[in-house]
Amino acid sequence: MTEREFATDVVTKLVKAGYVAYFAGGCVRDEILGLQPDDYDVATSARPEQVTALFRRTVEVGASFGVVEVIGPRDDQGQFLKVQVATFRSDGIYLDGRHPEQVVFSSPQEDAARRDFTINGMFLDPLSGTIYDYVGGQQDLARGILRAIGRAEDRFSEDRLRMLRAVRMSARFRFPLEEQTFSAIQKMASGIQAISAERICEELRKMLTHPNRAMALELIQQTHLLPYLFPELDPHSWPETIQIARRLPRLCWPIDREVTVPLGFAVLLRH
């Protein structure tokens, strides 16, 4: 069984129990683009306690935010299949730039409105193939742009890591940042200092190991994030860092076929 098949089974069981359930977020985006999703998330009208009652093996990974992980059979590699199931919700105020003070279980429309970018705010019914798009994600995918949902400043105030995530996703898909989204990052760039090193490091790992790493580094500078991410670095050396990053696949051959995380960080912090 594949992860998609297991996720579809999860949706099927929720629907048969009388709940609304869809694929949500990045997996919908990737399927529309014809890409293989890294994982599948399910959004549902079922409350966390209703999800745990319906499935035999579950882990409450964020029950206060309505998130339950459903564990399935093993895949072909012997690993347990896992799908995160989240209740449709709207978020209260964010005081720490990361977590809402409270959440209110709500509708698919309200759930879509609290997500980060339009291309990540769509739902897919795997049983009918219907796409539910309340935020213009399909249009932005067709245009090839990355746009924050609603007011960009609000989305970045809620979770400041979204600014760096916008850079990574823009580079990954080669989608230019929409004008207001770009301007909001420039204006709010200093806020990235409130984010933990662990969360920032995870975004940088994904950037540096992706073929479009040089574009991501260019955007870090253009969005004014550079001095707040790496205050110890000389900004005048950044263009050279970008050029080395662009040449990395050729520089590391034949020792490594891929750019590793240590190699990526070695280039980034070479001074």
Side-chain angles (χ1 to χ4, degrees), residues 206-225:
K206 294 176 181 178
M207 286 184 197
L208 294 170
T209 55
H210 193 275
N212 295 342
R213 66 188 66 82
M215 182 178 175
L217 297 184
E218 288 175 342
L219 282 171
I220 283 176
Q221 185 172 42
Q222 293 167 4
T223 54
H224 300 170
L225 288 167

Side-chain angles (χ1 to χ4, degrees), residues 15-245:
V15 170
K16 286 183 176 179
Y19 305 111
V20 176
Y22 305 132
F23 288 172
C27 64
V28 180
R29 173 202 68 217
D30 289 349
E31 288 207 352
I32 293 174
L33 290 173
L35 304 174
Q36 175 61 49
D38 292 331
D39 49 40
Y40 284 86
D41 293 326
V42 171
T44 181
S45 60
R47 302 294 181 93
E49 64 273 14
Q50 293 168 326
V51 175
T52 57
L54 193 60
F55 296 94
R56 186 167 62 89
R57 292 188 296 176
T58 61
V59 177
E60 295 184 2
V61 296
S64 62
F65 297 99
V67 183
V68 174
E69 189 170 69
V70 178
I71 302 172
R74 295 182 186 271
D75 60 18
D76 294 340
Q77 284 72 47
Q79 302 296 315
F80 284 109
L81 294 168
K82 300 176 182 179
V83 171
Q84 287 198 353
V85 179
T87 305
F88 297 127
R89 75 174 202 248
S90 58
D91 295 341
I93 60 173
Y94 288 70
L95 296 181
D96 63 354
R98 179 181 180 187
H99 297 117
E101 290 300 295
Q102 63 178 359
V103 302
V104 177
F105 297 136
S106 59
S107 66
Q109 293 91 331
E110 291 172 302
D111 187 89
R114 59 101 188 162
R115 293 174 180 262
D116 52 8
F117 307 108
T118 60
I119 65 172
N120 295 336
M122 297 175 286
F123 303 105
L124 168 66
D125 182 347
L127 307 183
S128 68
T130 303
I131 295 172
Y132 295 92
D133 180 8
Y134 306 108
V135 295
Q138 292 180 94
Q139 180 181 3
D140 285 345
L141 274 182
R143 294 175 61 190
I145 62 172
L146 189 72
R147 180 197 306 270
I149 292 174
R151 186 171 178 267
E153 288 86 351
D154 292 340
R155 300 291 80 77
F156 297 140
S157 293
E158 290 164 354
D159 185 348
R160 297 181 181 94
L161 188 68
R162 286 173 172 171
M163 294 187 289
L164 191 56
R165 192 161 186 249
V167 167
R168 177 174 64 80
M169 294 188 64
S170 176
R172 175 188 173 186
F173 295 110
R174 293 190 175 273
F175 284 4
L177 290 167
E178 178 267 336
E179 182 178 352
Q180 293 182 3
T181 302
F182 183 84
S183 297
I185 299 174
Q186 288 185 319
K187 182 171 69 174
M188 302 174 66
S190 63
I192 199 69
Q193 297 172 105
I195 300 300
S196 70
E198 291 80 8
R199 295 183 77 207
I200 289 174
C201 189
E202 182 58 32
E203 289 296 318
L204 291 174
R205 285 191 185 101
K206 294 176 181 178
M207 286 184 197
L208 294 170
T209 55
H210 193 275
N212 295 342
R213 66 188 66 82
M215 182 178 175
L217 297 184
E218 288 175 342
L219 282 171
I220 283 176
Q221 185 172 42
Q222 293 167 4
T223 54
H224 300 170
L225 288 167
L226 178 61
Y228 304 108
L229 288 172
F230 308 109
E232 69 279 7
L233 296 185
D234 179 1
H236 296 97
S237 69
W238 199 248
E240 185 180 356
T241 298
I242 293 170
Q243 289 303 317
I244 295 174

